[in-house]
Amino acid sequence: MTTVRRAVLTLPAAPLGPDNPLPALRAPAGAGAHAVDARTLAELPRDMARGLGRAPLRSLLPTPVRDGYGRDRTPADLDTIVIENDRLRVTVLPGLGGRVHSLHHKPTGRELLYRNPVLQPAAFALNGAWFSGGIEWNIGATGHTTLSCSPLHAATVRAPDGGPMLRLWEWERLRDLPFQVDLWLPEGSDFLYVGVRVRNPHERTAPAYWWSNTAVPEERRVLAPADAAWHHGYDRGLNRLPVPLTEDGTDRSYPLNGAHAADYFYDLPDGQRRWIAALDADGHGLVQTSTDALRGRKLFLWGTERGGRRWQEWLTEPGTPGYAEIQAGLARTQLEHLELAGEAEFSWLEAYGPLAADPATALGDDWAAARVDVEHRLETALPRAAVDAAYTAWREDAADAEPESVLAVGSGWGALEVLRGGHVLPGTPFPESTLGPDQEPWRELLRTGVLPPPAKGAGPGAPLVAAPWRDMLETAPADPSTEYHLGIAQWHAGDRAQAVRSWERGLHRAEVRWPLLYCLAVADREDGHPQRAAERFAEAFAEHAGHGDHEGDEAVAAALGREAVAALLATGRPGRARELWARLSGEVRGRGAFRLLEIRILLAEGRTGEARAVFDEGFEVADLSEGTEVLGELWAELTDEPLPDAYEFRMRPS
């Protein structure tokens, strides 16, 4: 019989640390890596171009940036939930985005996923902290979800066959949408079933995005039922290419044949069964299939050049085999977003399990024959009609079933939205008991029409930006804290001039001024006033330093200092930058991100020898962004020597 139970997994882990205390007023740091140039956009099919241009993120609000982690790992006990029948054992991490850490096939003893032996956060999620390995559930916008390292609600529910099922659910805050992921193992099944539902409880249409990302060992051949794919690389192009062969005859269905990091979005024909598989040299591996609503399939590879290999090492530990990703999404590419009508939903069913194909055919030179063989074996192992029937049974009999035993608790933001909007969401309760300190001021605003100020001398609390909350802030008594939050909501809505007016009004009467000064500095920088922005960043840092001790003060000082030093350097004031940098604590200055700032200061001062010495001594920037080239650029200012491997993170062809 299938069982669902709690367990503990011990891994070397780098602690997540505190979230960045500054409001995330800007677009994701790696947004440029997923952009498409104007020439390419004009040449795409019209519906694809519309999807690419739909509702781009102007900021990360209301979610915080998660950049408080480092690179020092110690053994940590992680709560897990294990789903098991006589064929499969599935290990889920409810506190880390509901990630499926392991999919173990018991009869063969095979691990079907790439299972990372460490937990090392890196700056790949939309809001920062993310880690590699397993199966992740990406909702929100192009990229890895803001929930990558966050807890989800989890509980047992009755599966369509009457056995136990694990439900994961949360409220995704970038798009303001609740979702659920139901995982179950029918008795005797070699396949994990996953029912997914994204709901829009609002009257307005919402942009929708979903990609299920599965990490697999990179020594595989990846097959999908397509003869062409949309190729996207870090040169910002999007080109339709034949698969699997390149012009020079290289077979791009093998991840290790690619030199540079790249995405291949397979162009599956209408009516074609949706599937993707990754098979080893013996023809064994993992297959993922779904109902037709989950249209897209993708291969991501890191490439064999130095940058890709360094990223692979960065995300785990030296000596660990590399990985590739096979993915499935709502649109043809990850660069597109769909429209989800008000009071509507998207739902589908996925299945993950082992596949054994004839290696002579599946790994042979005849791509058409390989596809036919894999699809035939998939149909034998799990017929398409069975997947459709399982989806119907889940949607009709189980998707709305109420949770039975609570196994884990997520955030209180969903409870706050249900309290405000009166939303009825069968199957995914967000009880008031989950409300916490972050939500309490907003519940008070909802109850009384007044947003309570923070404790004396403390910084502001977490923001909310959705239109109903903005409306309440506009009618609340206009104290400095309310003006701060109102300005953030107006900024999110695109009314930047009004946001600046709100922040300026609040600044005149504020006791704690650094939050408002920071917001005004960002506005100045975005509006093309870098000199004034630098002054305001520096003033915010100095103003914060003048206050007494409060919880989280070191995180505030580090975040403001990093912004201010960078802004001063950008406006040609290395002297001021060094003065401010020197006022940070020794522990903060020793972090990799601040060693990088030190190099920039030294270069601006003409002290190239000392800047080179920092490189030679060695440092690691824990929150280095995807696609970043800053280390290579600074090295090139110092020397014509090749960039050392430790600093090689460039992902584009040179």
Side-chain angles (χ1 to χ4, degrees), residues 350-374:
E350 306 179 42
Y352 297 80
L355 190 78
D358 173 19
T361 304
L363 279 65
D365 293 336
D366 188 333
W367 176 251
R371 285 173 40 194
V372 168
D373 181 66
V374 171

Side-chain angles (χ1 to χ4, degrees), residues 3-124:
T3 60
V4 177
R5 57 183 171 85
R6 289 190 181 97
V8 173
L9 173 69
T10 301
L11 288 179
L16 285 171
D19 290 346
N20 191 306
L22 307 178
L25 300 176
R26 285 166 289 178
H34 303 292
V36 174
D37 61 64
R39 177 194 59 80
T40 300
L41 194 63
E43 297 173 354
L44 294 176
R46 186 172 300 176
D47 61 333
M48 183 181 284
R50 282 199 302 269
L52 265 66
R54 183 171 288 125
L57 291 178
R58 291 190 289 257
S59 75
L60 280 171
L61 294 168
T63 61
V65 172
R66 312 201 71 179
D67 60 1
Y69 52 87
R71 300 274 306 163
D72 294 329
R73 298 187 288 267
T74 56
D77 291 338
L78 305 176
D79 291 332
T80 68
I81 300 171
V82 177
I83 314 166
E84 190 167 9
N85 66 4
D86 61 336
R87 312 290 295 176
L88 287 173
R89 182 168 60 249
V90 185
T91 304
V92 180
L93 303 173
L96 294 165
R99 183 79 59 97
V100 176
H101 174 73
S102 170
L103 188 61
H104 178 78
H105 188 233
K106 295 160 75 171
T108 61
R110 293 177 181 270
E111 173 58 50
L112 301 180
L113 308 177
Y114 166 77
R115 185 172 56 186
N116 197 333
V118 305
L119 176 61
Q120 177 56 62
F124 275 70

Side-chain angles (χ1 to χ4, degrees), residues 128-154:
W130 170 86
F131 63 103
S132 66
I135 307 172
E136 57 180 301
W137 319 110
N138 290 305
I139 181 175
T142 301
H144 297 281
T145 177
T146 62
L147 296 165
S148 292
C149 291
S150 296
L152 303 188
H153 299 281

Side-chain angles (χ1 to χ4, degrees), residues 170-519:
E170 245 302 352
W171 197 284
E172 200 285 315
R173 301 180 68 208
L174 287 181
R175 302 304 194 184
D176 211 16
L177 301 175
F179 70 97
Q180 72 188 78
V181 180
D182 289 355
L183 304 97
W184 77 99
L185 293 173
E187 188 173 350
S189 174
D190 279 311
F191 283 82
L192 170 68
Y193 285 8
V194 183
V196 183
R197 175 165 61 173
V198 180
R199 289 192 272 204
N200 181 5
H202 313 293
E203 294 182 357
R204 57 173 172 78
T205 297
Y209 173 94
W210 184 281
W211 281 79
S212 302
N213 291 9
T214 303
V216 294
E218 64 182 350
E219 298 88 355
R220 296 289 185 270
R221 187 184 205 188
V222 174
L223 298 104
D227 293 314
W230 294 93
H231 168 257
H232 180 258
Y234 289 82
D235 55 359
R236 300 182 63 183
L238 185 63
N239 306 298
R240 193 173 186 272
L241 303 174
V243 292
L245 299 180
T246 63
E247 291 181 359
D248 64 1
T250 302
D251 189 337
R252 60 168 61 95
S253 66
Y254 290 90
L256 286 174
N257 282 349
H260 300 282
D263 301 325
Y264 291 99
F265 299 101
Y266 295 103
D267 197 357
L268 275 62
D270 291 340
Q272 169 65 52
R273 183 176 185 180
R274 315 305 195 195
W275 61 267
I276 188 168
L279 306 179
D280 65 16
D282 296 325
H284 292 271
L286 172 76
V287 65
Q288 187 272 0
T289 188
S290 72
T291 50
D292 289 354
L294 202 64
R295 175 181 183 177
R297 292 298 185 274
K298 170 190 165 184
L299 163 65
F300 168 75
L301 56 92
W302 281 105
T304 56
E305 290 293 324
R306 289 200 308 157
R309 306 330 292 171
R310 179 61 176 132
W311 274 118
Q312 292 261 33
E313 182 182 75
W314 182 257
L315 295 171
T316 178
E317 58 186 4
T320 301
Y323 75 96
E325 289 178 358
I326 57 173
Q327 308 183 12
L330 283 174
R332 281 168 297 190
T333 74
Q334 283 181 328
L335 312 182
E336 301 167 77
H337 295 72
L338 304 184
E339 286 188 337
L340 180 53
E343 301 179 345
E345 67 177 50
F346 288 137
S347 62
W348 62 92
L349 187 127
E350 306 179 42
Y352 297 80
L355 190 78
D358 173 19
T361 304
L363 279 65
D365 293 336
D366 188 333
W367 176 251
R371 285 173 40 194
V372 168
D373 181 66
V374 171
E375 186 155 347
H376 170 72
R377 292 173 186 273
L378 171 60
E379 185 67 18
T380 301
L382 184 64
R384 184 177 188 178
V387 174
D388 292 340
Y391 167 73
T392 300
W394 167 74
R395 188 62 193 84
E396 293 179 353
D397 302 330
D400 288 346
E402 291 304 314
E404 297 175 354
S405 300
V406 174
L407 300 175
V409 177
S411 78
W413 294 113
L416 186 67
E417 292 302 326
V418 168
L419 191 64
R420 181 202 58 77
H423 305 302
V424 178
L425 301 168
T428 54
F430 294 95
E432 285 191 53
S433 60
T434 60
L435 293 170
D438 284 344
Q439 293 84 41
E440 190 54 42
W442 298 100
R443 178 159 68 167
E444 190 68 12
L445 173 65
L446 186 62
R447 188 178 68 84
T448 66
V450 178
L451 184 69
K456 185 175 177 61
L464 281 175
V465 296
W469 295 106
R470 185 175 73 246
D471 293 343
M472 282 184 268
L473 289 168
E474 287 175 345
T475 58
D479 62 23
S481 176
T482 301
E483 295 282 19
Y484 165 83
H485 283 288
L486 175 58
I488 289 177
Q490 291 165 333
W491 181 271
H492 174 266
D495 191 353
R496 296 191 169 187
Q498 190 58 52
V500 168
R501 285 191 285 271
S502 295
W503 292 328
E504 288 176 338
R505 285 196 304 268
L507 188 64
H508 291 313
R509 295 185 290 124
E511 175 188 347
V512 178
R513 303 174 71 244
W514 67 260
L516 293 151
L517 286 166
Y518 168 77
C519 292

